[in-house]
């Protein structure tokens, strides 16, 4: 009886075998048109047709898609941000909440947080986009001069035309001059400048060149923990090996070469570490590296034969007293030919941060140092596949590296940009001051960039509740903050952190008065959360 009424799955469909398919001896009879086998075929055929049209199911499924893509995570726009968007829709539909708006302090998007665009930048871009405005007397002559120069360098004198894959030549020349001035006269070759779709695109492009091998020979890429999730996401996408080194939270997120060496030696047991990535000033941690630290890193890279990637997009965002930005290239060349002629490096900058905040234009560049000429040819080929970076972004970048000069009419207005940086410096101090007054929150000084990464103390009861909800503890904390206060932060687990510690990343970009409200709301929430789970 058990045999005759056994059940099996066929292509996901339950099928019951009845006794009529078997003779007395238990041998299976040859199926006729009414047997289950025929019914299975009919069922299978019905699954292959939709309204009479043959269908074989989806070609691309979760099971057969690129597995590397499934491993990609990007916390800055992860589940908590998706929930924030849902809450915004609920508010518009009239759903009652304990708050009237969602404040997205999760991402370094200056203009979205209320920062006003720089007039000169937008004037020139307007002229480039609509050249008829060049006849309008409302625009200053230096803005018109910049626009004409950029348009003359474009195909058909239009920013709607493709540019050279490496970027518009006159823009690359201006970038090279900007670097030379920044670094005290150290030479920069425009041919080593590659314009890009923001710094992110250039970083991923370089990683593509560097990643190779299989198994224990697979390229390992050293990244800081905490790190900006672009790096872990790109490494997962490329199938590279992430080699984590930890910043020292107790020493204001400083970088220690001894920790680099520990990380490197451990990684060599299972991969081939070839790349060292540095973010200075730091994201999400906001630290600014000392010159001595940079020298130590460069020596380490030379000794261990590592390719250096210097992410310097926050180079103008330095606030703390005694801190100063030192470019890796400048330090490299000041260390002498032993280093400047051998250490291979790429450095990156962007128009998305600092006083500009022009994230949406996607402007950026990278400069390569000591790259093998044959590899450089391959890099040029690789960027040509995407035709070119956005030309309006290239135009914007040119204005950032070639701003109004003291003898030009737009200079006085343009220099008001210093107010933006002064405001950020004040907000950095304010953030540290308010958070450190809250029991259970510890906030290092925000030396640079535009984020804070405070450490939060969570009780075992809160940790257990998070586990019950299927969330990591700081995600549980941040999600509860979003639901109760309408403030969107990113949990520290999305950036990486030492085992047993919990953090969140918050941008300091909101206008000062709104930032005060955000800081006080988080402070009150933390006290309430602590009491609830005590």
């Amino acid at each position: 009886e058990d045999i005759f009424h056994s059940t099996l799955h066929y292509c996901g469909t339950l099928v019951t075998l009845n006794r009529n398919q078997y003779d007395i001896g238990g041998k299976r009879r040859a199926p006729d048109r009414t047997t289950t086998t025929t019914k299975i075929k009919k069922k299978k055929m019905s699954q292959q047709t939709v309204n009479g049209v043959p269908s074989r199911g989806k070609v691309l499924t979760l099971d057969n898609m690129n597995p590397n893509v499934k491993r990609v995570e990007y916390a800055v726009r992860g589940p908590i941000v998706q929930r924030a968007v849902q809450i915004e829709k609920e508010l518009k539909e009239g759903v009652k909440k304990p708050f009237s708006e969602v404040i997205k302090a999760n991402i370094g998007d200056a203009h979205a947080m209320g920062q006003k665009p720089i007039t000169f930048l937008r004037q020139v871009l307007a002229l480039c986009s609509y050249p008829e405005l060049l006849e309008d007397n409302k625009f200053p002559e230096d803005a018109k001069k910049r626009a004409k120069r950029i348009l003359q360098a474009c195909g058909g004198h239009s920013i709607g035309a493709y540019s050279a894959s490496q970027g518009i030549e006159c823009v690359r020349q201006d970038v090279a001059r900007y670097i030379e001035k920044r670094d005290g006269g150290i030479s920069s070759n425009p041919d080593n400048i590659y314009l890009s779709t923001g710094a992110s695109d250039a970083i991923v492009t370089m990683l593509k060149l560097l990643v190779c091998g299989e198994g224990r020979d697979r390229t390992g890429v050293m990244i800081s923990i905490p790190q900006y999730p672009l790096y872990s996401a790109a490494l997962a996408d490329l199938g590279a090996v992430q080699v984590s080194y930890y910043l020292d939270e107790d020493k204001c997120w400083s970088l220690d070469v001894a920790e680099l060496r520990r990380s490197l030696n451990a990684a060599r047991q299972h991969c081939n570490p070839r790349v060292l990535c540095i973010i200075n000033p730091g994201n999400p941690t906001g630290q600014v590296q000392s010159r001595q630290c940079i020298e130590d890193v460069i020596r380490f890279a030379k000794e261990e034969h590592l390719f250096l990637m210097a992410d310097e997009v926050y180079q103008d965002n330095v606030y703390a007293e005694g801190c100063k930005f030192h470019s890796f290239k400048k330090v490299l060349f000041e260390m002498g030919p032993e280093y400047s002629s051998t250490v291979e490096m790429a450095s990156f900058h962007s128009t998305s941060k600092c006083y500009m905040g022009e994230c949406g234009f996607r402007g950026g560049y990278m400069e390569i140092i000591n790259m093998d000429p044959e590899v450089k040819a391959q890099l040029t080929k690789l960027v040509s596949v995407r035709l070119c970076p956005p030309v309006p972004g290239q135009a914007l970048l040119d204005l950032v590296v070639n701003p109004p000069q003291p003898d030009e009419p737009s200079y006085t207005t343009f220099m008001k940009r210093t107010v933006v940086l002064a405001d950020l410096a004040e907000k950095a101090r304010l953030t540290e001051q308010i958070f450190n007054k809250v029991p259970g929150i510890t906030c290092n000084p925000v030396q640079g960039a535009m984020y804070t990464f405070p450490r939060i103390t969570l009780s075992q009861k809160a940790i257990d509740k998070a586990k019950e909800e299927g969330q990591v503890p700081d995600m549980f904390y941040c999600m509860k903050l979003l639901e109760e206060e309408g403030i969107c932060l990113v949990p520290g687990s999305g950036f990486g952190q030492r085992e047993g510690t919990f953090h969140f990343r918050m941008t300091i970009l909101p206008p000062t008065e709104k930032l005060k409200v955000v800081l006080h709301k988080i402070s009150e929430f933390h006290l309430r959360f602590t009491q609830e789970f005590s």
Side-chain angles (χ1 to χ4, degrees):
E1 290 289 322
D2 289 340
I3 294 174
F4 294 147
H5 291 91
S6 62
T7 305
L8 58 86
H9 280 81
Y10 183 85
C11 292
T13 304
L14 277 175
V15 181
T16 301
L17 305 178
N18 62 47
R19 68 171 69 237
N20 293 330
Q21 292 175 246
Y22 297 85
D23 60 20
I24 301 295
K27 288 186 177 181
R28 187 167 181 172
R29 295 173 180 168
D32 58 23
R33 293 182 183 274
T34 62
T35 63
T36 303
T37 304
T38 305
K39 291 176 183 176
I40 289 171
K41 289 181 179 178
K42 288 181 179 178
K43 180 68 174 176
K44 195 174 178 182
M45 288 176 66
S46 69
Q47 290 177 331
Q48 292 178 334
T49 60
V50 178
N51 297 327
V53 179
S55 172
R56 297 181 180 178
K58 298 292 185 185
V59 172
L60 180 62
T61 69
L62 200 60
D63 291 331
N64 66 22
M65 69 175 285
N66 184 341
N68 288 343
V69 174
K70 288 193 285 186
R71 287 192 283 269
V72 170
E73 293 183 4
Y74 190 64
V76 174
R77 295 198 175 189
I80 199 161
V81 182
Q82 294 165 17
R83 176 57 187 148
V85 172
Q86 289 177 346
I87 291 175
E88 284 182 318
K89 290 180 180 177
E90 291 171 11
L91 287 170
K92 288 179 181 178
E93 293 166 358
V95 178
K96 296 299 181 183
K97 301 282 183 184
F99 46 86
S100 58
E101 67 170 331
V102 173
I103 300 174
K104 293 179 180 175
N106 61 296
I107 193 167
D109 191 348
H111 292 181
M113 297 305 297
Q115 182 176 310
K116 300 300 181 185
I118 300 298
T119 301
F120 180 75
L121 305 182
R122 290 300 182 91
Q123 285 177 330
V124 179
L125 287 170
L127 293 165
C128 289
S129 298
Y130 192 57
E132 283 82 353
L133 292 175
L134 288 165
E135 306 304 320
D136 193 324
N137 293 329
K138 294 178 183 176
F139 290 84
E141 286 305 312
D142 53 347
K144 291 181 180 181
K145 181 180 177 182
R146 295 293 200 292
K148 288 175 182 177
R149 179 170 177 264
I150 292 167
L151 289 170
Q152 287 170 1
C154 295
H157 296 172
S158 169
I159 60 170
Y162 289 127
S163 77
S165 298
Q166 201 169 333
I168 298 171
E169 185 174 359
C170 72
V171 178
R172 289 188 288 114
Q173 291 170 349
D174 286 348
V175 170
R177 279 192 286 269
Y178 163 83
I179 293 171
E180 287 179 359
K181 183 177 179 181
R182 180 197 69 186
D183 292 343
I186 294 168
S187 177
S188 178
N189 184 351
D191 195 43
N192 289 335
I193 306 296
Y194 287 75
L195 307 190
S196 58
T197 309
S200 300
D201 180 58
I203 289 166
V204 173
T205 298
M206 277 307 309
L207 288 173
K208 282 183 179 179
L209 282 182
L210 286 157
V211 173
C212 68
E214 297 293 338
R216 291 188 62 172
D217 291 329
R218 193 67 174 160
T219 295
V221 179
M222 301 182 70
I223 64 172
S224 62
I225 299 295
Q227 53 98 28
Y228 178 53
L230 163 70
Y231 290 91
S232 56
L235 297 181
D237 186 22
L238 296 170
V241 179
Q242 176 178 316
V243 178
S244 301
Y245 64 89
Y246 289 90
L247 302 177
D248 190 342
E249 183 172 10
D250 294 334
K251 295 181 179 178
C252 205
W253 299 112
S254 64
L255 192 161
D256 183 5
V257 171
E259 168 61 12
L260 288 180
R261 200 169 301 282
R262 178 209 63 78
S263 173
L264 181 74
N265 291 336
R268 281 180 170 154
Q269 305 304 310
H270 59 87
C271 69
N272 178 23
R274 303 173 64 214
V275 191
L276 173 57
C277 298
I278 307 287
I279 307 175
N280 180 48
N283 176 11
T285 44
Q287 85 284 1
V288 178
Q289 291 179 5
S290 67
R291 181 189 172 90
Q292 183 60 54
C293 176
I294 293 172
E295 287 185 11
D296 292 343
V297 169
I298 290 171
R299 288 191 187 93
F300 176 79
K302 182 180 185 300
E303 289 169 12
E304 302 296 345
H305 201 56
L306 299 172
F307 190 103
L308 261 178
M309 290 179 60
D311 181 340
E312 299 174 331
V313 302
Y314 296 101
Q315 59 189 257
D316 295 308
N317 295 87
V318 177
Y319 319 119
E321 188 176 344
C323 289
K324 181 181 179 182
F325 171 75
H326 301 275
S327 81
F328 265 78
K329 182 188 176 183
K330 183 175 189 288
V331 176
L332 175 69
F333 276 78
E334 288 179 348
M335 289 173 70
E338 178 186 355
Y339 297 93
S340 62
S341 62
T342 58
V343 175
E344 297 161 67
M345 186 178 78
S347 60
F348 308 88
H349 196 16
S350 168
T351 63
S352 298
K353 309 304 175 184
C354 188
Y355 67 88
M356 303 83 71
E358 295 283 10
C359 306
F361 279 98
R362 310 308 298 131
Y365 75 79
M366 69 174 167
E367 181 183 28
I368 55 171
I369 306 293
N370 292 324
M371 180 174 279
D372 183 301
E374 293 182 348
V375 175
K376 184 180 173 185
Q378 294 296 314
L379 170 60
T380 304
K381 178 186 72 175
L382 184 58
V383 299
S384 72
V385 173
R386 297 188 183 181
L387 295 176
C388 69
V391 175
Q394 296 184 51
L396 179 69
L397 177 65
D398 188 64
L399 306 175
V400 171
V401 299
N402 182 25
Q405 299 304 303
D407 60 345
E408 293 184 303
S410 297
Y411 180 77
T412 302
T413 304
F414 180 78
M415 288 310 292
K416 291 179 180 179
R417 69 190 176 92
T418 56
V419 174
V420 175
L421 295 174
D423 284 347
L424 284 169
E426 175 57 29
K427 288 187 280 191
R429 287 189 290 271
L430 185 68
T431 300
E432 178 195 355
Q433 182 183 39
I434 291 177
F435 274 152
N436 280 329
K437 289 179 180 178
V438 184
I441 298 182
T442 306
C443 182
N444 270 317
V446 182
Q447 296 177 331
M450 49 182 62
Y451 313 97
T452 182
F453 198 67
R455 183 170 175 173
I456 51 176
T457 301
L458 301 181
S459 68
Q460 188 59 48
K461 187 176 178 181
I463 294 169
D464 292 341
K465 181 63 176 176
K467 186 176 181 180
E468 182 183 318
E469 297 286 332
Q471 296 177 340
V472 294
D474 47 16
M475 171 62 87
F476 174 69
Y477 178 96
C478 289
M479 193 65 80
K480 198 168 176 62
L481 172 67
L482 174 63
E483 297 288 352
E484 294 183 13
E485 299 289 352
I487 297 171
C488 182
L489 307 178
V490 190
S493 50
F495 299 88
Q497 55 197 350
R498 285 193 181 274
E499 187 72 28
T501 67
F502 306 106
H503 303 78
F504 61 77
R505 188 191 80 159
M506 186 190 86
T507 178
I508 62 171
L509 286 172
T512 302
E513 291 309 308
K514 180 172 278 191
L515 179 64
K516 288 179 181 178
V517 171
V518 169
L519 293 170
H520 285 297
K521 280 192 169 191
I522 294 172
S523 300
E524 290 170 1
F525 168 81
H526 185 83
L527 294 174
R528 192 169 67 245
F529 183 93
T530 301
Q531 180 65 31
E532 181 180 352
F533 293 100
S534 62

